Amino acid sequence: MATRHVDIIRALLRREVGTIRKPDGSNLRVALAFPNTYYVGMSNLGFQVVYRIFNEIPGTLCERVFLPEQRDFEDLRRTTSSLVTMESQSPLREFDVLAFSVSYELDYFNIPRILSLGRISELANDRGEEEPLIIAGGPAVTFNPEPLAPFVDVFVIGEGEEVIPEVVSVLRDGGERLHLLERLAQIQGIYVPRFYEPKYKRDGMIERVSVTADVPMPVRRRWVRDLDKYNPGNPIRTPDTEFSNMAIVEIARGCGRRCRFCVAGHVYLPPRKRSASSVLRCLEETPRAERVGLLGASVFDHSEFMDICNSLLQHRRLFSVSSVRLDLLTEEIAEMLHRGGQQTITVAPEAGTERLRQIIGKPLTDQQIFEGMSAAWNGGLRRIKMYFMVGLPTETEEDVKSIAQLARTIASSFRWERLVVSVSCFVPKPWTPFQWVPMEKERELSSKLAMIRRELKAEKNVRLTAESAREAVVQGTLARGDRRLHSVIGAVASGSRSWKNSISEAGLSVEFYAYRAREREEVFPWDHIDQGIAKSHLLAECDSALQAPDKERRKPSGSTT
Ligand code: SF4
């Protein structure tokens, strides 16, 4: 066992409050992995909730494991020692199940890395009966599990609260792996990729996906009707995370606004809320933290939002919200957030012009943005973070420059203590109306980011943070990828090849996965999953976005229409 790795784990554990420790003797042992570092993983509420769900099932023990920091990673790679879990520092191979919680495409590379450090066969087909069963769930694999399909035995598609106990119940019965997989595949929300076989055409597109066993087709996602039945908070507090010493509570899930670029707005439907009484009860039952974080895609849509805030104030608890909808931000709400101790509010106009915001389905007017900012200022809020994207469909130079112009106007209209403008690159995602559109090329994305940088250079009151266009293109390749990409993921993960070399050696290309406009009738790698949204509806939305009145003048090359 690598001593330094274990020393670091023990130091992290000493700073935690709420670590779940169960007596041994469980008949199912689960290692729950986050494919990134401890800091990133412990900032993820979904990961912590799954940790609690597994541990609440009698007879089941769940321990956490993370990707080690770079130096420990290299140390472990050089030795024959195994990566170990946090709680008991046990090697991963000793567990019955290794379950990954996957939120982000760029973390895919860390999945074979963790398997390799755990001395577990990377590919499902090579794995023996004595090795752990590999499960993966979380937003990224719910949207499109295919690039990871050859690594994973079982995917959870959708929300985990109900499906996890059902999976555990089957695994407890034991038996040969193939038999277990056949039984698991019958559970709604479970996808066992080895039973689904894509056939490709000569041009590389998918002809069809067939089943090779008696399993459901399509695979239906799972979602929870009554959120109040489940504890919505993070069981563990630690200073070694982004939300240091914060109790995070999910007060709402899903969002009914369906902005055309937003996969969460299309997949986590219908929008649901937790009752104020359930939120407050959960907070009473968990260890008291310095602050409370109220989480949800659209917290201001929660009908009891102000009641929850008032109640927290009465109990002298500080609180903040994850993001703010400018069109719903009133002075009263801003004042409430200020009294709750919110330091920075995060808003997302997404695009610089009204025209482009209309096209992407987030039709905020400039006036609404300005009024929202005024409400924030008058309510006492002084720090703002604004999110924008470049590379959106039909975007022009004017749209890009308008991001800087809008930032300048907001900066000069109020005396913010801090105004951060964060610009990322638009990545077309499955299950959105923009799943057919080509991603903007890396060079163009970089030059648009550089343009904003130049425009804001002299603006001392604005701090600009911009995403790497290169990473965005890798993300864009994986987001709409298929299972042929697994060899690229494996090669990059092993460090033997660069992204560019491994993708060309595999006979694949970024042009095909990221930069290509999809055919209207194309079979997508995720089409055999049923998220409850009609593809025809998404296509109609895509058409309606790209056929906006001034489309002809501004149509980008490669558009689907
Ligand atoms: S971008 Fe925000 S408002 Fe739009 S659908 Fe997504 S979560 Fe809802």
Side-chain angles (χ1 to χ4, degrees):
M1 201 183 286
T3 338
R4 195 185 124 86
H5 173 49
V6 172
D7 288 347
I8 290 172
I9 286 178
R10 289 187 177 145
L12 289 167
L13 284 173
R14 279 196 293 276
R15 291 195 287 272
E16 287 187 348
V17 177
T19 315
I20 302 174
R21 292 185 190 278
K22 290 177 86 169
D24 210 359
S26 309
N27 52 19
L28 190 79
R29 298 182 79 215
V30 179
L32 177 64
F34 194 88
N36 208 312
T37 58
Y38 177 90
Y39 182 90
V40 180
M42 289 303 290
S43 305
N44 186 293
L45 179 61
F47 174 76
Q48 289 219 36
V49 165
V50 171
Y51 173 65
R52 177 198 283 114
I53 294 172
F54 271 120
N55 276 312
E56 277 176 353
I57 303 171
T60 301
L61 170 84
C62 178
E63 302 190 354
R64 294 159 295 151
V65 61
F66 301 91
L67 185 78
E69 299 285 350
Q70 193 61 31
R71 183 180 151 189
D72 299 327
F73 176 79
E74 296 302 339
D75 284 352
L76 273 173
R77 191 128 88 168
R78 271 193 297 273
T79 66
T80 52
S81 300
S82 169
L83 183 64
V84 296
T85 54
M86 296 286 296
E87 285 78 356
S88 68
Q89 292 105 55
S90 303
L92 299 190
R93 273 185 80 107
E94 291 181 5
F95 287 79
D96 303 300
V97 172
L98 173 57
F100 286 92
S101 171
V102 194
S103 296
Y104 185 42
E105 293 88 349
L106 294 182
D107 287 344
Y108 289 0
F109 303 105
N110 294 331
I111 290 173
R113 284 180 184 133
I114 288 178
L115 290 170
S116 162
L117 291 182
R119 315 304 164 198
I120 296 167
S121 308
E122 288 181 19
L123 296 178
N125 283 341
D126 298 340
R127 230 168 268 139
E129 293 280 336
E130 73 293 353
E131 295 188 80
L133 186 84
I134 307 301
I135 300 182
V141 301
T142 286
F143 307 151
N144 178 18
E146 285 306 292
L148 289 175
F151 299 109
V152 173
D153 295 303
V154 174
F155 286 105
V156 174
I157 304 293
E159 300 166 5
E161 283 91 341
E162 289 173 355
V163 80
I164 289 172
E166 293 173 23
V167 168
V168 166
S169 158
V170 170
L171 295 179
R172 281 253 186 71
D173 291 345
E176 284 201 351
R177 179 149 302 177
L178 190 61
H179 175 63
L180 281 177
L181 291 174
E182 282 167 353
R183 286 186 61 200
L184 288 169
Q186 305 306 323
I187 299 173
Q188 185 189 336
I190 291 299
Y191 171 48
V192 180
R194 73 175 64 185
F195 298 142
Y196 299 78
E197 206 171 84
K199 181 162 187 258
Y200 300 96
K201 297 191 281 187
R202 278 167 168 266
D203 58 12
M205 289 187 231
I206 295 173
E207 186 177 321
R208 64 171 179 277
V209 175
S210 325
V211 292
T212 59
D214 182 16
V215 291
M217 181 68 152
V219 175
R220 285 171 59 215
R221 72 158 176 151
R222 199 69 179 266
W223 61 281
V224 172
R225 281 170 176 72
D226 181 6
L227 294 182
D228 279 352
K229 287 191 353 212
Y230 303 95
N231 188 324
N234 53 333
I236 300 176
R237 317 252 189 286
T238 166
D240 300 302
T241 183
E242 190 181 342
F243 307 108
S244 173
N245 292 318
M246 183 185 270
I248 307 171
V249 192
E250 183 199 43
I251 65 168
R253 188 177 293 177
C255 171
R257 293 176 191 263
R258 298 202 188 188
C259 303
R260 288 175 175 138
F261 60 89
C262 177
V263 59
H266 286 83
V267 169
Y268 292 110
L269 290 174
R272 287 144 289 158
K273 60 165 194 162
R274 286 180 207 277
S275 64
S277 57
S278 134
V279 170
L280 298 170
R281 195 173 52 248
C282 153
L283 284 169
E284 274 163 26
E285 287 167 2
T286 50
R288 197 174 170 98
E290 282 169 22
R291 303 181 55 78
V292 175
L294 302 174
L295 202 80
S298 188
V299 290
F300 292 172
D301 284 331
H302 194 301
S303 53
E304 294 175 294
F305 176 72
M306 292 301 262
D307 297 336
I308 294 171
C309 295
N310 270 318
S311 191
L312 290 172
L313 282 180
Q314 276 164 18
H315 290 86
R316 297 177 192 286
R317 299 197 74 164
L318 296 174
F319 61 88
S320 54
V321 296
S322 46
S323 74
V324 163
R325 275 197 65 96
L326 277 169
D327 52 335
L328 298 180
L329 184 62
T330 60
E331 222 170 288
E332 188 192 3
I333 294 179
E335 205 176 309
M336 177 68 87
L337 295 176
H338 178 57
R339 286 170 63 208
Q342 178 121 18
Q343 298 282 326
T344 304
I345 60 161
T346 302
V347 298
E350 318 286 4
T353 58
E354 289 184 5
R355 179 197 77 84
L356 192 50
R357 290 195 290 271
Q358 281 282 352
I359 284 175
I360 63 172
K362 199 168 196 181
L364 278 174
T365 61
D366 288 345
Q367 189 175 345
Q368 280 174 315
I369 294 175
F370 195 79
E371 284 172 1
M373 290 296 182
S374 301
W377 176 265
N378 293 335
L381 299 167
R382 295 292 179 263
R383 295 179 185 180
I384 305 285
K385 185 167 190 180
M386 299 176 81
Y387 276 110
F388 293 95
M389 286 184 279
V390 290
L392 287 161
T394 80
E395 186 176 66
T396 64
E397 190 176 318
E398 180 195 333
D399 294 312
V400 179
K401 286 190 170 163
S402 296
I403 293 176
Q405 181 53 45
L406 188 56
R408 275 196 296 267
T409 308
I410 300 294
S412 60
S413 306
F414 310 92
R415 292 197 311 280
W416 306 110
E417 280 172 20
R418 189 185 301 157
L419 174 59
V420 177
V421 171
S422 173
V423 187
S424 61
C425 302
F426 168 62
V427 172
K429 293 282 179 119
W431 301 108
T432 67
F434 290 155
Q435 63 183 348
W436 282 271
V437 307
M439 184 171 176
E440 181 110 83
K441 296 246 166 69
E442 184 184 331
R443 200 161 18 146
E444 274 89 57
L445 289 169
S446 296
S447 78
K448 286 178 176 180
L449 292 171
M451 188 189 293
I452 297 174
R453 217 172 274 124
R454 273 196 309 278
E455 293 278 324
L456 288 176
K457 199 171 173 195
E459 200 58 54
K460 296 285 172 261
N461 300 327
V462 179
R463 191 161 75 84
L464 177 70
T465 63
E467 195 190 30
S468 143
R470 200 172 151 268
E471 284 191 358
V473 170
V474 176
Q475 190 194 357
T477 304
L478 296 172
R480 290 183 293 171
D482 56 47
R483 55 180 76 176
R484 289 172 295 187
L485 282 168
H486 86 275
S487 60
V488 181
I489 296 171
V492 174
S494 70
S496 64
R497 304 269 191 295
S498 68
W499 163 258
K500 213 170 148 193
N501 289 344
S502 55
I503 202 160
S504 75
E505 276 174 32
L508 305 171
S509 72
V510 169
E511 278 70 22
F512 180 84
Y513 289 107
Y515 298 150
R516 183 173 61 89
R518 274 31 176 193
E519 304 283 335
R520 295 175 71 83
E521 304 302 330
E522 186 167 337
V523 177
F524 293 138
W526 51 91
D527 272 358
H528 55 293
I529 310 283
D530 176 7
Q531 301 280 8
I533 318 165
K535 198 171 173 183
S536 55
H537 164 77
L538 296 175
L539 187 57
E541 273 292 297
C542 181
D543 286 344
S544 137
L546 300 180
Q547 283 161 5
D550 54 358
K551 178 201 76 167
E552 288 311 320
R553 192 159 46 89
R554 295 170 176 183
K555 187 169 76 174
S557 60
S559 160
T560 55
T561 56

